[in-house]
Amino acid sequence: MVLNRGMHPGVCLGLTLALYRRAHRAWTTTRNCSKSSGLAARQLRLCRDNLDLMPTVVHSALVGMETCQNQFRDWRWNCSSVLSVPNLNNDLIRGTREQAYVYGISSAALVHSVSRACSIGVTTKCSCGPLPRPIDEPEKDFKWGGCGDDVKFGLSFGEQFTDATLINKKGKTKHSKKSMMNRHNFRVGREVKRKRKKKMKILVPKRRGRSQFRSDELVYYERSPDYCKPDAKTGSVGTEGRQCTMGTRGRGSCASMCCGRGQYNYTQVITERCGCKYFWCCYVKCKTCTKVLKLNRCR
Ligand SMILES: *[C@@H]1O[C@H](CO)[C@@H](O)[C@H](O)[C@H]1NC(C)=O
Ligand SMILES: *[C@@H]1O[C@H](CO)[C@@H](O)[C@H](O)[C@H]1NC(C)=O
Ligand SMILES: *[C@@H]1O[C@H](CO)[C@@H](O)[C@H](O)[C@H]1NC(C)=O
């Protein structure tokens, strides 16, 4: 993403999402654990001690980003700003619900990926976890076999890794409003993993005077803009040029996406494989079909 002039992006070393830039690279030496990888000072030791888990941490960054971008594909704010990590635009540092979501999902993805890694033996630090207890008593001659995810290890590793960014140089927990928000939302992300079925609830504004928050509620304290127009102050990039759908209402519709500015239409010709047939033995033959798509974008 290109940062407009006049924007003053914050840098958040330590948000695991920053590691997506290291995808498909091997972690072979403790020298790989450097600040330039986007890790915060207190994460460097964790990195050196758990080199074998680092590809898993990187994987979790990709999963977290993909999840965020999928989930918000049709929204005016579409999670594109995570691509600039560890530089963060104002939309992800002001204490908004978008920030809450991004911190929550990065933490959830980390716990999930590490727990999985344990069950497939990526590292010797953890192993098979206990299998989930069957809800109904299984048949007498039926036994659970195999391996469960080591959620306990995943949770504790995830907590150490994410919360390492919330400790100051003297080793004290940071108590700023933003640090407390981030810490809470990291924790919510981990709960997501613990209670598998519950969806992450979006989102509860932090009300004055309320000091206890439910463990499945993401918390934010700054109102978000409507993200219609570019605004450096809020980190909004606007919706000009975004694809939208005509003839519908609500999210993703041109009416909503374009904020009343209108849209233009255009056609796009795509070719794709179609009518594929399998021939014995052993190949597949396809035709090529041409399709004309009628598309709209916001002015
Ligand atoms: C780790 O260091 C090796 C050797 O310098 C390099 O080839 C590799 O790409 C590095 N991996 C990461 C994740 O930076
Ligand atoms: C998300 O929004 C940005 C900024 O408007 C845009 O450049 C990008 O193409 C959008 N991504 C998707 C998947 O629509
Ligand atoms: C495209 O826009 C033009 C004028 O804005 C309109 O006349 C036409 O019907 C539109 N085509 C489609 C496929 O929506």
Side-chain angles (χ1 to χ4, degrees), residues 184-266:
H184 175 88
N185 293 330
F186 278 147
R187 191 181 309 138
V188 175
R190 293 192 296 272
E191 288 292 325
V192 171
K193 174 67 188 179
R194 203 196 300 268
K195 304 177 195 155
R196 278 155 201 266
K197 292 223 175 87
K198 262 200 177 160
K199 269 213 192 136
M200 200 191 289
K201 285 229 178 87
I202 312 177
L203 294 142
V204 177
K206 187 166 152 71
R207 274 186 227 109
R208 201 175 300 168
R210 196 171 153 206
S211 57
Q212 289 292 316
F213 298 95
R214 286 176 35 179
S215 59
D216 58 354
E217 291 174 339
L218 293 170
V219 164
Y220 63 96
Y221 57 83
E222 193 67 53
R223 270 187 59 171
S224 296
D226 58 18
Y227 292 108
C228 281
K229 286 187 285 192
D231 178 5
K233 209 178 90 215
T234 58
S236 166
V237 292
T239 61
E240 191 185 329
R242 288 286 302 281
Q243 226 165 55
C244 61
T245 317
M246 282 298 285
T248 61
R249 293 204 290 171
R251 245 194 297 126
S253 69
C254 294
S256 157
M257 183 66 81
C258 308
C259 309
R261 297 188 308 271
Q263 68 286 331
Y264 58 90
N265 61 28
Y266 64 104

XYZ file of all heavy atoms in Angstrom, residues 184-266:
667
model
N -6.194 -6.843 26.077
C -7.508 -7.480 26.178
C -7.861 -8.192 24.866
O -8.318 -9.322 24.870
C -8.593 -6.454 26.517
C -9.963 -7.043 26.500
N -10.531 -7.632 27.616
C -10.861 -7.196 25.496
C -11.718 -8.104 27.286
N -11.946 -7.854 26.016
N -7.630 -7.518 23.743
C -8.042 -8.100 22.461
C -7.161 -9.281 22.050
O -7.643 -10.212 21.419
C -8.093 -7.010 21.396
C -9.195 -6.008 21.688
O -10.221 -6.354 22.274
N -8.981 -4.757 21.298
N -5.900 -9.248 22.453
C -5.058 -10.438 22.279
C -5.685 -11.610 23.040
O -5.746 -12.735 22.558
C -3.661 -10.194 22.846
C -2.715 -9.454 21.918
C -1.753 -8.603 22.435
C -2.752 -9.639 20.542
C -0.856 -7.932 21.605
C -1.857 -8.981 19.691
C -0.907 -8.118 20.236
N -6.140 -11.319 24.268
C -6.710 -12.369 25.111
C -8.009 -12.901 24.500
O -8.249 -14.095 24.483
C -6.969 -11.840 26.524
C -7.312 -12.945 27.503
C -7.596 -12.399 28.903
N -6.554 -11.519 29.366
C -6.771 -10.368 30.015
N -8.003 -9.991 30.288
N -5.777 -9.625 30.404
N -8.824 -11.992 23.969
C -10.061 -12.426 23.321
C -9.734 -13.380 22.171
O -10.397 -14.388 21.986
C -10.865 -11.211 22.788
C -12.081 -11.681 21.999
C -11.301 -10.337 23.951
N -8.683 -13.048 21.427
C -8.275 -13.906 20.321
C -7.975 -15.315 20.795
O -8.350 -16.289 20.170
N -7.305 -15.406 21.962
C -6.966 -16.729 22.497
C -8.209 -17.475 22.946
O -8.302 -18.678 22.808
C -5.967 -16.590 23.648
C -4.605 -16.090 23.195
C -3.564 -16.252 24.284
N -3.812 -15.457 25.465
C -3.388 -14.208 25.629
N -2.705 -13.619 24.670
N -3.647 -13.555 26.724
N -9.192 -16.777 23.527
C -10.453 -17.407 23.925
C -11.145 -18.015 22.680
O -11.824 -19.028 22.803
C -11.385 -16.362 24.550
C -10.959 -15.889 25.932
C -11.087 -16.983 26.973
O -12.025 -17.793 26.859
O -10.260 -17.039 27.879
N -10.963 -17.367 21.628
C -11.612 -17.903 20.418
C -11.202 -19.318 20.177
O -11.939 -20.161 19.764
C -11.253 -17.025 19.218
C -11.705 -17.640 17.931
C -11.813 -15.649 19.407
N -9.953 -19.506 20.454
C -9.439 -20.865 20.263
C -9.965 -21.823 21.340
O -10.292 -22.965 21.098
C -7.911 -20.839 20.302
C -7.251 -22.206 20.250
C -7.475 -22.902 18.915
C -6.987 -24.340 18.958
N -7.212 -25.047 17.712
N -10.030 -21.296 22.570
C -10.402 -22.163 23.683
C -11.838 -22.656 23.526
O -12.131 -23.825 23.596
C -10.251 -21.405 24.997
C -10.064 -22.302 26.190
C -10.313 -21.546 27.470
N -9.421 -20.422 27.660
C -8.265 -20.473 28.307
N -7.840 -21.603 28.805
N -7.546 -19.392 28.468
N -12.740 -21.713 23.300
C -14.135 -22.106 23.089
C -14.366 -22.135 21.594
O -14.728 -21.144 20.999
C -15.070 -21.068 23.715
C -14.831 -20.820 25.167
C -15.782 -19.732 25.630
C -15.343 -19.181 26.973
N -15.835 -17.820 27.163
N -14.139 -23.297 21.041
C -14.107 -23.396 19.596
C -15.337 -22.828 18.917
O -15.267 -22.206 17.881
C -14.013 -24.863 19.195
C -12.618 -25.393 19.250
C -12.688 -26.892 19.458
N -11.429 -27.361 20.004
C -10.444 -27.824 19.257
N -10.578 -27.888 17.966
N -9.334 -28.233 19.803
N -16.489 -23.108 19.486
C -17.705 -22.855 18.712
C -18.088 -21.387 18.705
O -18.711 -20.901 17.791
C -18.846 -23.690 19.286
C -18.606 -25.161 19.049
C -19.861 -25.878 18.604
C -19.570 -27.325 18.267
N -19.649 -28.192 19.456
N -17.714 -20.699 19.772
C -18.159 -19.311 19.881
C -17.478 -18.439 18.852
O -16.276 -18.494 18.674
C -17.860 -18.784 21.276
C -19.069 -18.856 22.164
C -18.945 -17.918 23.334
C -20.215 -17.966 24.145
N -20.024 -17.483 25.483
N -18.236 -17.649 18.197
C -17.658 -16.711 17.230
C -17.084 -15.543 17.991
O -17.561 -15.174 19.050
C -18.765 -16.196 16.323
C -18.940 -17.020 15.087
C -19.366 -16.078 13.991
C -19.861 -16.827 12.772
N -21.057 -16.238 12.247
N -16.059 -14.958 17.400
C -15.535 -13.752 18.021
C -16.591 -12.672 17.878
O -17.073 -12.396 16.798
C -14.264 -13.326 17.310
C -13.426 -12.420 18.162
S -12.138 -11.699 17.197
C -11.105 -13.105 16.935
N -16.963 -12.118 18.982
C -18.032 -11.132 18.923
C -17.474 -9.773 18.569
O -16.554 -9.298 19.182
C -18.728 -11.037 20.280
C -19.628 -12.202 20.568
C -21.001 -11.695 21.036
C -21.934 -12.860 21.287
N -21.818 -13.399 22.619
N -18.022 -9.175 17.568
C -17.650 -7.818 17.225
C -18.800 -6.924 17.656
O -19.921 -7.236 17.337
C -17.433 -7.660 15.725
C -16.543 -8.779 15.211
C -16.881 -6.319 15.392
C -16.349 -8.730 13.698
N -18.590 -5.940 18.237
C -17.511 -5.371 19.033
C -18.167 -4.519 20.086
O -19.222 -3.976 19.845
C -16.612 -4.434 18.203
C -15.810 -5.066 17.106
C -15.759 -4.144 15.918
C -14.412 -5.279 17.606
N -17.592 -4.336 21.181
C -18.240 -3.611 22.258
C -17.458 -2.344 22.586
O -16.283 -2.405 22.862
C -18.313 -4.482 23.519
C -18.918 -3.714 24.669
C -19.119 -5.722 23.225
N -18.096 -1.194 22.482
C -17.358 0.017 22.804
C -16.990 0.047 24.272
O -17.741 -0.423 25.118
C -18.334 1.149 22.461
C -19.667 0.518 22.409
C -19.493 -0.936 22.146
N -15.822 0.564 24.544
C -15.365 0.663 25.922
C -16.064 1.850 26.555
O -15.870 2.987 26.158
C -13.853 0.882 25.914
C -13.193 0.832 27.262
C -11.688 0.712 27.032
C -10.869 1.292 28.156
N -10.863 0.584 29.381
N -16.932 1.557 27.505
C -17.686 2.643 28.127
C -16.947 3.156 29.330
O -16.261 2.412 30.023
C -19.066 2.126 28.564
C -20.040 2.200 27.428
C -21.433 1.833 27.901
N -22.016 0.892 26.948
C -22.221 -0.389 27.196
N -21.908 -0.893 28.366
N -22.737 -1.157 26.292
N -17.130 4.432 29.516
C -16.477 5.029 30.673
C -16.984 4.354 31.946
O -18.161 4.028 32.060
C -16.802 6.517 30.727
C -15.798 7.283 31.558
C -16.085 8.759 31.490
N -16.015 9.250 30.113
C -16.455 10.450 29.755
N -16.998 11.247 30.622
N -16.349 10.831 28.507
N -16.098 4.106 32.831
C -16.532 3.570 34.116
C -16.615 2.057 34.141
O -16.712 1.456 35.187
N -16.558 1.458 32.959
C -16.645 0.009 32.961
C -15.228 -0.530 32.936
O -14.436 -0.168 32.090
C -17.404 -0.445 31.721
C -17.879 -1.856 31.819
C -18.808 -2.169 30.664
N -18.751 -3.591 30.392
C -19.009 -4.125 29.219
N -19.336 -3.359 28.208
N -18.938 -5.418 29.059
N -14.905 -1.390 33.878
C -13.527 -1.851 33.918
C -13.415 -3.342 33.627
O -12.344 -3.854 33.364
C -12.915 -1.548 35.283
O -13.696 -2.145 36.275
N -14.524 -4.040 33.667
C -14.489 -5.469 33.378
C -15.117 -5.724 32.020
O -16.176 -5.184 31.715
C -15.287 -6.231 34.440
C -14.620 -6.252 35.795
C -13.350 -7.075 35.786
O -13.319 -8.162 35.223
N -12.297 -6.549 36.382
N -14.455 -6.519 31.215
C -15.016 -6.832 29.917
C -15.092 -8.323 29.760
O -14.259 -9.058 30.256
C -14.162 -6.226 28.815
C -14.125 -4.741 28.899
C -13.087 -4.112 29.558
C -15.158 -3.985 28.381
C -13.068 -2.735 29.660
C -15.151 -2.618 28.492
C -14.101 -1.987 29.141
N -16.117 -8.740 29.077
C -16.249 -10.170 28.867
C -15.125 -10.671 27.997
O -14.621 -9.970 27.139
C -17.600 -10.464 28.215
C -18.728 -10.308 29.199
C -20.042 -10.500 28.537
N -19.979 -11.507 27.470
C -21.038 -11.842 26.758
N -22.198 -11.279 26.979
N -20.932 -12.742 25.812
N -14.751 -11.919 28.239
C -13.558 -12.435 27.585
C -13.807 -12.743 26.108
O -12.888 -13.111 25.401
C -13.079 -13.691 28.305
O -14.108 -14.646 28.286
N -15.048 -12.620 25.663
C -15.270 -12.848 24.232
C -15.668 -11.569 23.508
O -16.142 -11.605 22.387
C -16.321 -13.951 24.012
C -17.643 -13.612 24.679
O -17.710 -12.590 25.395
O -18.600 -14.367 24.470
N -15.465 -10.445 24.145
C -15.794 -9.181 23.511
C -14.526 -8.400 23.192
O -13.726 -8.128 24.082
C -16.654 -8.322 24.446
C -18.035 -8.854 24.676
C -18.791 -8.047 25.722
O -18.156 -7.358 26.531
O -20.022 -8.116 25.713
N -14.393 -8.042 21.947
C -13.290 -7.163 21.588
C -13.634 -5.756 22.069
O -14.783 -5.367 22.070
C -13.090 -7.142 20.062
C -12.614 -8.454 19.445
C -12.699 -8.374 17.933
C -11.198 -8.760 19.870
N -12.617 -5.052 22.462
C -12.837 -3.737 23.042
C -12.118 -2.661 22.237
O -11.005 -2.878 21.762
C -12.329 -3.729 24.502
C -12.175 -2.315 25.024
C -13.277 -4.503 25.394
N -12.786 -1.546 22.033
C -12.145 -0.400 21.387
C -12.665 0.861 22.038
O -13.669 0.830 22.745
C -12.425 -0.390 19.886
C -13.882 -0.230 19.528
C -14.404 1.026 19.226
C -14.737 -1.321 19.486
C -15.739 1.183 18.898
C -16.064 -1.178 19.169
C -16.576 0.073 18.869
O -17.883 0.231 18.558
N -11.984 1.969 21.817
C -12.453 3.185 22.480
C -12.571 4.387 21.555
O -13.046 5.430 21.954
C -11.561 3.537 23.671
C -10.093 3.718 23.356
C -9.613 4.920 22.862
C -9.197 2.668 23.560
C -8.272 5.084 22.564
C -7.857 2.822 23.269
C -7.398 4.032 22.772
O -6.080 4.176 22.479
N -12.135 4.243 20.322
C -12.186 5.391 19.414
C -13.193 5.106 18.309
O -13.200 4.013 17.751
C -10.795 5.610 18.816
C -10.591 6.921 18.106
C -10.628 8.115 19.052
O -9.872 8.113 20.052
O -11.420 9.025 18.782
N -14.037 6.080 18.027
C -15.008 5.888 16.952
C -14.300 5.797 15.611
O -13.325 6.494 15.366
C -15.986 7.055 16.916
C -17.192 6.822 17.779
C -18.195 7.936 17.574
N -18.617 8.016 16.171
C -19.614 8.784 15.777
N -20.275 9.525 16.634
N -19.965 8.820 14.498
N -14.829 4.970 14.729
C -14.258 4.855 13.398
C -14.961 5.831 12.464
O -16.136 6.115 12.646
C -14.451 3.435 12.864
O -13.747 2.523 13.650
N -14.244 6.311 11.463
C -14.908 7.138 10.457
C -15.735 6.245 9.540
O -15.726 5.021 9.698
C -13.727 7.745 9.700
C -12.656 6.712 9.802
C -12.830 6.080 11.154
N -16.429 6.839 8.558
C -17.206 5.993 7.638
C -16.337 5.407 6.517
O -16.804 4.617 5.725
C -18.402 6.756 7.067
C -17.996 8.029 6.321
O -16.803 8.155 5.937
O -18.858 8.899 6.134
N -15.057 5.795 6.483
C -14.100 5.287 5.501
C -14.507 5.578 4.055
O -14.099 4.878 3.134
C -13.854 3.775 5.691
C -13.129 3.467 6.979
C -13.801 2.863 8.036
C -11.798 3.792 7.149
C -13.156 2.601 9.239
C -11.135 3.533 8.337
C -11.822 2.938 9.376
O -11.177 2.676 10.539
N -15.343 6.601 3.849
C -15.765 6.957 2.487
C -14.673 7.686 1.718
O -14.411 7.403 0.562
C -17.016 7.833 2.551
S -18.529 6.889 2.836
N -14.073 8.670 2.387
C -13.081 9.516 1.711
C -11.703 9.301 2.338
O -11.603 8.957 3.510
C -13.481 10.987 1.868
C -14.661 11.367 0.985
C -14.917 12.859 1.037
C -15.583 13.244 2.344
N -16.120 14.588 2.384
N -10.672 9.557 1.552
C -9.332 9.462 2.136
C -9.159 10.509 3.219
O -9.612 11.637 3.063
C -8.392 9.764 0.961
C -9.214 9.679 -0.263
C -10.623 9.927 0.132
N -8.580 10.114 4.320
C -8.342 11.052 5.412
C -7.133 10.553 6.201
O -7.195 9.520 6.873
C -9.582 11.121 6.311
C -9.368 12.057 7.492
O -8.303 12.721 7.567
O -10.269 12.126 8.353
N -6.046 11.293 6.067
C -4.806 10.872 6.708
C -4.970 10.774 8.216
O -4.383 9.903 8.857
C -3.693 11.862 6.369
N -5.792 11.653 8.780
C -5.919 11.699 10.232
C -6.470 10.381 10.787
O -6.038 9.902 11.827
C -6.839 12.854 10.628
C -6.519 13.425 11.989
C -7.425 14.601 12.318
C -8.674 14.132 13.027
N -9.883 14.862 12.733
N -7.431 9.810 10.083
C -8.040 8.566 10.571
C -7.458 7.335 9.896
O -7.798 6.216 10.248
C -9.557 8.565 10.306
O -9.768 8.725 8.900
C -10.244 9.691 11.064
N -6.618 7.541 8.888
C -6.061 6.400 8.179
C -7.025 5.810 7.165
O -6.823 4.697 6.685
N -8.070 6.557 6.834
C -9.006 6.063 5.821
C -8.400 6.242 4.439
O -7.810 7.282 4.143
C -10.325 6.844 5.909
O -11.105 6.615 4.747
N -8.517 5.225 3.573
C -8.000 5.368 2.219
C -9.128 5.645 1.226
O -8.888 5.825 0.037
C -7.192 4.124 1.755
C -5.912 4.011 2.549
C -8.020 2.858 1.875
N -10.374 5.681 1.709
C -11.491 5.988 0.826
C -11.887 4.808 -0.038
O -11.206 3.782 -0.047
N -12.987 4.972 -0.763
C -13.496 3.829 -1.535
C -13.466 4.073 -3.042
O -14.042 3.300 -3.799
C -14.947 3.485 -1.120
O -15.791 4.616 -1.374
C -15.020 3.090 0.333
N -12.803 5.147 -3.472
C -12.721 5.385 -4.906
C -12.059 4.195 -5.588
O -11.036 3.691 -5.135
C -11.907 6.663 -5.168
C -12.006 7.121 -6.614
C -11.095 8.309 -6.910
O -10.858 9.122 -5.989
O -10.626 8.394 -8.054
N -12.681 3.734 -6.671
C -12.105 2.633 -7.425
C -12.442 1.251 -6.886
O -12.057 0.246 -7.476
N -13.182 1.192 -5.794
C -13.546 -0.125 -5.239
C -14.654 -0.759 -6.065
O -15.577 -0.085 -6.514
C -14.011 0.033 -3.783
C -12.905 0.343 -2.819
C -12.024 -0.855 -2.527
N -12.775 -1.976 -1.979
C -13.165 -2.068 -0.711
N -12.878 -1.113 0.143
N -13.830 -3.133 -0.291
N -14.553 -2.061 -6.228
C -15.596 -2.763 -6.951
C -16.860 -2.839 -6.109
O -16.781 -2.963 -4.887
C -15.110 -4.179 -7.253
C -15.394 -4.576 -8.676
C -14.603 -5.808 -9.067
O -14.686 -6.822 -8.392
N -13.840 -5.707 -10.131
N -18.014 -2.742 -6.764
C -19.280 -2.806 -6.024
C -20.335 -3.492 -6.870
O -20.146 -3.716 -8.057
C -19.708 -1.402 -5.623
S -19.990 -0.313 -7.035
N -21.428 -3.830 -6.234
C -22.490 -4.570 -6.912
C -23.706 -3.680 -7.122
O -24.178 -3.046 -6.180
C -22.913 -5.779 -6.044
O -21.735 -6.391 -5.537
C -23.699 -6.779 -6.863
N -24.199 -3.646 -8.357
C -25.400 -2.858 -8.645
C -26.640 -3.662 -8.288
O -26.630 -4.879 -8.323
C -25.461 -2.524 -10.148
C -24.557 -1.393 -10.577
S -24.969 0.149 -9.777
C -26.448 0.594 -10.682
N -27.702 -2.931 -7.988
C -28.995 -3.579 -7.809
C -29.136 -4.321 -6.500
O -30.060 -5.110 -6.331
N -28.230 -4.131 -5.581
C -28.391 -4.735 -4.264
C -28.361 -3.616 -3.242
O -28.133 -2.467 -3.572
C -27.249 -5.721 -3.939
O -26.017 -5.000 -3.956
C -27.200 -6.857 -4.938
N -28.614 -4.006 -2.011
C -28.504 -3.026 -0.945
C -27.584 -3.567 0.125
O -27.303 -4.750 0.182
C -29.894 -2.738 -0.354
C -30.776 -2.037 -1.390
C -31.867 -1.238 -0.729
N -32.862 -2.110 -0.125
C -33.826 -1.672 0.673
N -33.897 -0.391 0.991
N -34.725 -2.491 1.168
N -27.121 -2.673 0.949
C -26.266 -3.114 2.052
C -24.817 -3.250 1.629
O -24.412 -2.733 0.591
N -24.057 -3.957 2.446
C -22.625 -4.073 2.243
C -22.253 -4.533 0.841
O -22.872 -5.451 0.310
C -22.069 -5.078 3.228
C -21.139 -4.457 4.218
C -20.374 -5.502 4.945
N -21.204 -6.385 5.731
C -21.182 -7.710 5.611
N -20.396 -8.291 4.752
N -21.953 -8.446 6.370
N -21.289 -3.904 0.242
C -20.818 -4.328 -1.069
C -21.624 -3.744 -2.212
O -21.217 -3.820 -3.365
N -22.801 -3.159 -1.894
C -23.593 -2.542 -2.948
C -22.948 -1.222 -3.334
O -22.252 -0.589 -2.537
C -25.015 -2.288 -2.458
O -25.004 -1.270 -1.462
N -23.203 -0.794 -4.583
C -22.632 0.482 -5.023
C -23.180 1.628 -4.178
O -22.464 2.578 -3.869
C -22.918 0.704 -6.499
S -22.061 -0.500 -7.536
N -24.448 1.511 -3.805
C -25.054 2.572 -3.004
C -24.271 2.786 -1.715
O -23.950 3.910 -1.337
C -26.506 2.228 -2.686
N -23.941 1.693 -1.056
C -23.244 1.811 0.222
C -21.747 2.064 0.010
O -21.159 2.951 0.614
C -23.473 0.539 1.033
O -22.458 0.382 1.981
N -21.143 1.279 -0.860
C -19.687 1.361 -1.037
C -19.260 2.725 -1.551
O -18.236 3.266 -1.139
C -19.230 0.254 -1.997
C -17.733 0.170 -2.210
S -16.839 -0.327 -0.732
C -17.055 -2.106 -0.759
N -20.044 3.305 -2.470
C -19.608 4.548 -3.119
C -20.069 5.800 -2.371
O -19.781 6.921 -2.811
C -20.086 4.583 -4.562
S -19.643 3.104 -5.491
N -20.780 5.620 -1.286
C -21.143 6.740 -0.413
C -21.859 7.862 -1.162
O -21.654 9.047 -0.867
C -19.885 7.311 0.256
S -18.848 6.101 1.071
N -22.651 7.510 -2.182
C -23.410 8.534 -2.897
C -22.647 9.199 -4.032
O -23.191 10.054 -4.730
N -21.396 8.836 -4.251
C -20.635 9.469 -5.327
C -20.945 8.859 -6.683
O -20.587 9.399 -7.717
C -19.125 9.336 -5.061
C -18.618 10.033 -3.806
C -17.097 9.995 -3.759
N -16.574 8.635 -3.926
C -16.358 7.790 -2.906
N -16.596 8.165 -1.657
N -15.902 6.582 -3.126
N -21.600 7.723 -6.669
C -21.912 7.047 -7.927
C -20.794 6.114 -8.362
O -19.741 6.035 -7.725
N -21.077 5.418 -9.459
C -20.117 4.415 -9.922
C -20.037 4.471 -11.434
O -20.845 5.107 -12.089
C -20.555 3.024 -9.463
C -21.830 2.494 -10.106
C -23.081 3.182 -9.575
O -23.110 3.634 -8.437
N -24.110 3.288 -10.403
N -19.039 3.837 -11.988
C -18.972 3.691 -13.439
C -18.943 2.208 -13.738
O -18.539 1.408 -12.906
C -17.747 4.413 -14.020
C -16.425 3.952 -13.467
C -15.714 2.911 -14.061
C -15.884 4.577 -12.341
C -14.501 2.498 -13.544
C -14.670 4.168 -11.820
C -13.983 3.121 -12.427
O -12.785 2.712 -11.907
N -19.415 1.867 -14.926
C -19.393 0.440 -15.255
C -18.410 0.160 -16.380
O -18.012 1.032 -17.129
C -20.796 -0.077 -15.571
C -21.411 0.625 -16.766
O -20.694 1.093 -17.640
N -22.743 0.693 -16.787
N -18.016 -1.052 -16.467
C -17.080 -1.453 -17.514
C -17.217 -2.952 -17.694
O -17.823 -3.631 -16.850
C -15.641 -1.071 -17.142
C -15.099 -1.773 -15.919
C -14.187 -2.823 -16.048
C -15.503 -1.402 -14.647
C -13.699 -3.473 -14.931
C -15.009 -2.042 -13.527
C -14.110 -3.069 -13.675
O -13.632 -3.714 -12.574
